[in-house]
Amino acid sequence: MSTHIKCAGSVEEKAKQQGSEKASRQGQRVFSSPFPVCTCGYKGILSCPLISLTTVLVTTWEIILRDKPSCTRAYRKDTNETRAINCSDETISWDSRPDRNPALQIDRVAITHDGYYRCEVVTTHGHFYHGYHLTVLVPPDVTLFQLENGTIVCRAAAGKPAAQISWTPGGDCHTVEEPLGNDTVTVQSLCRWEDHRVFKVSCFVYHLTGNRNLSIEQNSVSNFSFCMKFSLYQRSYGRMKKECMENFTQG
């Protein structure tokens, strides 16, 4: 028996953009895994077991989110009645009329929607159910900049899970992770290059929501310090400073 979740703009959908034309037009992909993954900010749709609606008596969704009481949404066919118990999140609702389609809709998936979703259908032939352990991904905010001391910083802020960072060319780098307490992590990598011939560097950020590649040219503050170190053992300070400034003016 097939059960699905649709997540518009999800990681899986992006990874298979060259798939069917129909899926591409709809901007969403159907998943059958009980452990679906969806990117923060998109719309998610979870379906119940595929059963003939003529046999359905009662459909119940149980939603268990972290640090919240269990929410129950139910539909009773004979009275055409819907009920909601302890359901405070207005972004989670029936996708359409439950007598036509009992799927559950998350209007804009957020990190708070990590949790367990279970659909139970009572029919004239018995009970059927399916559960989803939904994991929400958060793309990091990526920036690349240079400090006054010449150190270049690549930062992937508030991503879930933590991003990975690498550099080209490799340098003297130090990477730290800062958990933010809501399952997101900021990763920051600081690099220096002692080779004065290195003028342009690239930062590569790897994340499940998509990879980024940023480049930056080291400014004259950093290059000037490299030139000073290179000339230190050959000339007096005054002549060395004058030569460095002349080189940068000409470059």
Side-chain angles (χ1 to χ4, degrees):
M1 184 171 295
S2 177
T3 50
H4 306 93
I5 176 173
K6 297 180 181 179
C7 184
S10 67
V11 176
E12 289 86 350
E13 187 253 326
K14 290 180 179 179
K16 298 186 178 180
Q17 288 180 348
Q18 304 303 320
S20 70
E21 181 180 350
K22 180 179 180 181
S24 178
R25 285 200 307 268
Q26 294 175 342
Q28 58 187 205
R29 182 162 178 81
V30 180
F31 307 100
S32 58
S33 169
F35 299 94
V37 176
C38 192
T39 302
C40 189
Y42 291 104
K43 178 180 179 179
I45 300 175
L46 297 92
S47 67
C48 291
L50 299 181
I51 299 172
S52 173
L53 295 179
T54 59
T55 66
V56 173
L57 301 176
V58 178
T59 302
T60 303
W61 276 100
E62 182 183 18
I63 305 166
I64 304 175
L65 305 179
R66 183 175 51 192
D67 301 326
K68 290 185 179 180
S70 174
C71 157
T72 300
R73 291 187 179 274
Y75 168 72
R76 182 171 174 173
K77 183 179 179 180
D78 61 345
T79 59
N80 196 29
E81 177 186 9
T82 59
R83 295 186 60 188
I85 303 174
N86 291 329
C87 300
S88 58
D89 191 333
E90 296 181 355
T91 65
I92 303 177
S93 62
W94 298 100
D95 182 43
S96 62
R97 288 178 47 177
D99 60 326
R100 296 181 178 178
N101 180 11
L104 193 70
Q105 170 186 279
I106 306 175
D107 187 41
R108 286 184 62 84
V109 175
I111 192 171
T112 54
H113 292 137
D114 261 354
Y116 181 68
Y117 300 74
R118 183 177 186 268
C119 177
E120 180 179 7
V121 181
V122 180
T123 74
T124 55
H125 303 300
H127 291 222
F128 304 88
Y129 67 90
H130 187 76
Y132 300 92
H133 294 270
L134 178 63
T135 299
V136 179
L137 305 181
V138 181
D141 182 18
V142 180
T143 54
L144 180 64
F145 56 93
Q146 185 171 16
L147 302 178
E148 291 184 359
N149 64 2
T151 299
I152 295 182
V153 180
C154 185
R155 177 181 296 158
K160 178 178 179 284
Q164 295 182 321
I165 297 176
S166 66
W167 294 87
T168 299
D172 182 13
C173 304
H174 177 60
T175 302
V176 294
E177 294 187 1
E178 179 188 1
L180 302 182
N182 60 351
D183 284 345
T184 64
V185 180
T186 292
V187 181
Q188 182 167 280
S189 183
L190 298 84
C191 273
R192 294 185 64 89
W193 289 263
E194 296 302 326
D195 187 347
H196 66 280
R197 294 169 298 180
V198 176
F199 293 100
K200 183 177 181 179
V201 298
S202 297
C203 163
F204 297 88
V205 178
Y206 304 95
H207 195 262
L208 290 176
T209 59
N211 302 327
R212 296 283 303 277
N213 177 11
L214 302 180
S215 298
I216 190 173
E217 293 185 0
Q218 297 192 89
N219 61 33
S220 59
V221 173
S222 177
N223 292 332
F224 178 79
S225 65
F226 291 144
C227 184
M228 295 277 280
K229 292 179 181 180
F230 181 74
S231 304
L232 183 61
Y233 300 105
Q234 301 179 25
R235 301 170 179 84
S236 65
Y237 178 81
R239 183 178 177 184
M240 170 187 62
K241 181 176 180 179
K242 180 180 179 180
E243 180 176 312
C244 283
M245 294 306 296
E246 289 176 349
N247 289 339
F248 286 120
T249 301
Q250 295 173 1

